Amino acid sequence: MHLQEIVLCSTAPTSAASGPGAIVLHDIQTGSTFASFKQTSARTNSTAVVPTRDGQGGFILSAQPEKSIMNVYNFQKDQLSLKIVLPEKLSCVTVDSKGDYCAGGTAQGRIYIWEIASGIMYHAWDAHYRQVNVLRFTHDSAALVSGSEDSAVSVWSISSLLDDGSQNDLPSPFCTLTDHTLPVTDILCGIGLFPTCRILTASVDHSVKLWDLSSHTLLTTFQFPHPIKVLAWDVTERLFFAASEDGSIHQVNLFRQREEKFARNGLEAVGGAGVTDIIRIDGEGQENSRKRLISVSQPITTLAISLTSSLLLVGTATGLIQIYDIASHQLLRTISTHKGFSITHLSTMLKPPDLVGHVSLSLGTGSTPDARESIPVKPVTPFQRMRDPKARELHEVAIMLPAQPSRSTEAFFEYSTDELLRDHAVFVKAADIAGSGTTGVSLQSRVTELESEVSKLREQLGKAKGINDTMWETIVQKMVTETKEGKGKGKGASDDGFVALDDEDDDSEGVSRRRKRTRS
């Protein structure tokens, strides 16, 4: 199957547009449309995607801004798959990398966490004083990071949130990062296991901060000329992009040229000195900063980097998706099919094999529209609106069993017994086969001979065991009899006071005793 990278975007209506938005999949190379999922108007940070993988079809979650409703779509049909009624309207939503848990934040600072397969609400707590703007899971799904209008960034351990023993207690964050002074607008988690990973946070206070979670410390502060709206971080964590609503995108390299003239390595890391380490990014003052500046001249709403880390995707408030080459900052193409709408979500992924209208699953030539039925969709159950201890205790989860292989697949992987015996002979008994030309039939006869030989050896072993048992019993009986007879003779003594000794070895000892008695 040919691997093809696609763009997934979500749109929302603006004041100039009428009707709801949509979730659309585009070809990243040509901009052509693959599929469209309508009747959704999710805002920024309110769309979460789980790709198709491991034999299970993916899905899309879209929290609606004006209603306490979550729309669920899957890639196998272009219609709404499920509509989930929520406890209240969500301001942001996220899903962990495995597609097991969903977290949602509200305008009142409350956070909910559900298990997607069962719909069980694991926890609901007041995490912030004001609206939760962004939620992110770490890449290993071990922690949840939340950013709020109250300027705080809190890190929550998932294991503590799922713990049965702490359901009646207010959760305590793993750490709280409080160096921002204005609302937090975006959060990105670096690659790595929690808590050894790093995170980037953006704020209206014109700053982007790099944090180390293992030590709960601030590594570096990057100060920009305008408030930062969204971020995009390279997978190698060597650079990131920070975009403002005025249309400026700054590329910030986390490395620089060494100043030492005779340094062995020409590059060194940037920052890391802590709270006092402030790097100012001036878009007009420094020549190097101007070289790393991309001007879009439109309000920017979202950013994304391609899977190959070679393309930067920019979504605007006017409905344009612009694709830039990261190395040269050259504009390669513009997708303009969403004019009149605002781009609220951008991400890249491999084209799903079960995508409606583009199914490509068979190993052989050709594919049928019914082929997508061989990939079951990962189960999504309506979420609970309040915590239910009984349902949590039962904890019924739908598990997707692997699909049975089709006839064509069985024929493709057919492996007869004769072929197995022949291959065993080639790889295990290669030396014997080379000399005698053994076939599968002769191997079978050889196995029969070995089995008969084993039975004979077992028979002989039984006889030897019987002889050994007989010998053992005879020796034990003889020793017991001799011991009894010795004790009986030891009780009797001679009239003259001398002890009678029966054994020949004790004659010398008896003579010595008599001599001593005579002397006395």
Side-chain angles (χ1 to χ4, degrees), residues 57-188:
F59 57 86
I60 306 170
L61 300 181
S62 178
Q64 304 306 300
E66 303 299 333
K67 301 178 182 179
S68 57
I69 295 293
M70 175 92 75
N71 289 349
V72 182
Y73 304 88
N74 63 64
F75 297 113
Q76 298 183 7
K77 60 180 182 179
D78 55 0
Q79 298 176 357
L80 184 64
S81 175
L82 180 65
K83 183 175 290 188
I84 299 176
V85 180
L86 301 170
E88 55 182 310
K89 291 186 291 185
L90 299 182
S91 56
C92 57
V93 68
T94 186
V95 174
D96 73 316
S97 59
K98 300 177 183 178
D100 294 335
Y101 300 102
C102 172
T106 70
Q108 290 72 34
R110 195 167 179 82
I111 296 179
Y112 296 88
I113 182 167
W114 295 275
E115 186 177 45
I116 297 176
S118 65
I120 292 177
M121 181 188 295
Y122 267 97
H123 226 305
W125 72 102
D126 294 324
H128 294 273
Y129 298 105
R130 299 180 63 185
Q131 175 176 301
V132 182
N133 288 333
V134 56
L135 289 172
R136 294 284 187 266
F137 279 97
T138 55
H139 284 270
D140 61 352
S141 306
L144 176 68
V145 187
S146 60
S148 169
E149 289 279 339
D150 61 11
S151 75
V153 177
S154 297
V155 182
W156 311 89
S157 173
I158 296 299
S159 59
S160 64
L161 296 177
L162 305 184
D163 185 13
D164 291 333
S166 61
Q167 290 303 300
N168 297 325
D169 302 330
L170 181 64
S172 298
F174 172 79
C175 65
T176 301
L177 313 176
T178 58
D179 202 67
H180 284 295
T181 58
L182 291 176
V184 177
T185 55
D186 202 4
I187 298 174
L188 292 180

Side-chain angles (χ1 to χ4, degrees), residues 188-232:
L188 292 180
C189 298
I191 300 297
L193 300 177
F194 173 79
T196 58
C197 57
R198 302 183 298 175
I199 65 171
L200 278 175
T201 60
S203 172
V204 183
D205 61 7
H206 296 212
S207 70
V208 173
K209 297 181 183 294
L210 179 63
W211 306 85
D212 176 46
L213 294 185
S214 59
S215 60
H216 309 178
T217 57
L218 173 64
L219 297 178
T220 308
T221 299
F222 302 90
Q223 199 70 30
F224 294 85
H226 303 284
I228 300 302
K229 177 70 174 179
V230 290
L231 298 171

Side-chain angles (χ1 to χ4, degrees), residues 247-444:
S248 60
I249 305 175
H250 296 270
Q251 176 183 331
V252 180
N253 295 333
L254 299 180
F255 63 92
R256 63 188 175 193
Q257 195 74 25
R258 284 183 178 270
E259 297 180 358
E260 292 84 351
K261 185 176 181 180
F262 301 101
R264 293 183 179 180
N265 188 2
L267 300 177
E268 64 179 358
V270 170
V275 179
T276 59
D277 188 9
I278 300 177
I279 299 177
R280 301 190 180 277
I281 309 298
D282 190 358
E284 298 179 357
Q286 302 177 4
E287 182 178 355
N288 292 333
S289 298
R290 289 199 303 270
K291 291 180 180 179
R292 294 193 292 265
L293 176 65
I294 300 176
S295 297
V296 180
S297 70
Q298 294 185 25
I300 298 173
T301 55
T302 181
L303 294 176
I305 295 179
S306 65
L307 298 179
T308 58
S309 297
S310 60
L311 302 176
L312 175 66
L313 288 76
V314 181
T316 67
T318 58
L320 298 180
I321 301 176
Q322 297 183 345
I323 302 177
Y324 291 86
D325 178 67
I326 291 180
S328 63
H329 290 182
Q330 180 181 359
L331 178 61
L332 301 179
R333 66 190 62 89
T334 299
I335 301 175
S336 57
T337 56
H338 308 292
K339 287 185 177 181
F341 291 84
S342 175
I343 307 297
T344 59
H345 175 83
L346 271 181
S347 62
T348 62
M349 58 189 294
L350 293 178
K351 180 181 176 183
D354 58 340
L355 182 61
V356 56
H358 300 271
V359 180
S360 178
L361 300 177
S362 62
L363 294 173
T365 58
S367 61
T368 63
D370 296 333
R372 62 176 176 270
E373 296 180 358
S374 63
I375 296 186
V377 179
K378 191 174 178 66
V380 180
T381 304
F383 296 164
Q384 292 180 346
R385 301 180 65 183
M386 61 181 63
R387 284 190 284 179
D388 185 0
K390 293 183 179 179
R392 182 187 175 93
E393 184 177 356
L394 294 174
H395 193 240
E396 296 179 354
V397 181
I399 299 177
M400 193 67 63
L401 298 177
Q404 296 296 328
S406 60
R407 293 183 178 180
S408 59
T409 306
E410 291 178 350
F412 184 79
F413 292 105
E414 185 178 359
Y415 198 46
S416 64
T417 304
D418 294 338
E419 291 175 336
L420 174 62
L421 293 173
R422 184 172 63 251
D423 292 343
H424 176 272
V426 170
F427 293 104
V428 180
K429 299 288 185 181
D432 297 339
I433 295 173
S436 59
T438 307
T439 62
V441 179
S442 61
L443 282 175
Q444 187 65 38

Side-chain angles (χ1 to χ4, degrees), residues 494-515:
S494 60
D495 296 336
D496 56 358
F498 295 101
V499 179
L501 299 175
D502 296 331
D503 296 335
E504 296 179 357
D505 295 339
D506 296 337
D507 290 343
S508 59
E509 184 179 358
V511 172
S512 63
R513 289 180 179 178
R514 291 191 188 95
R515 289 177 181 175

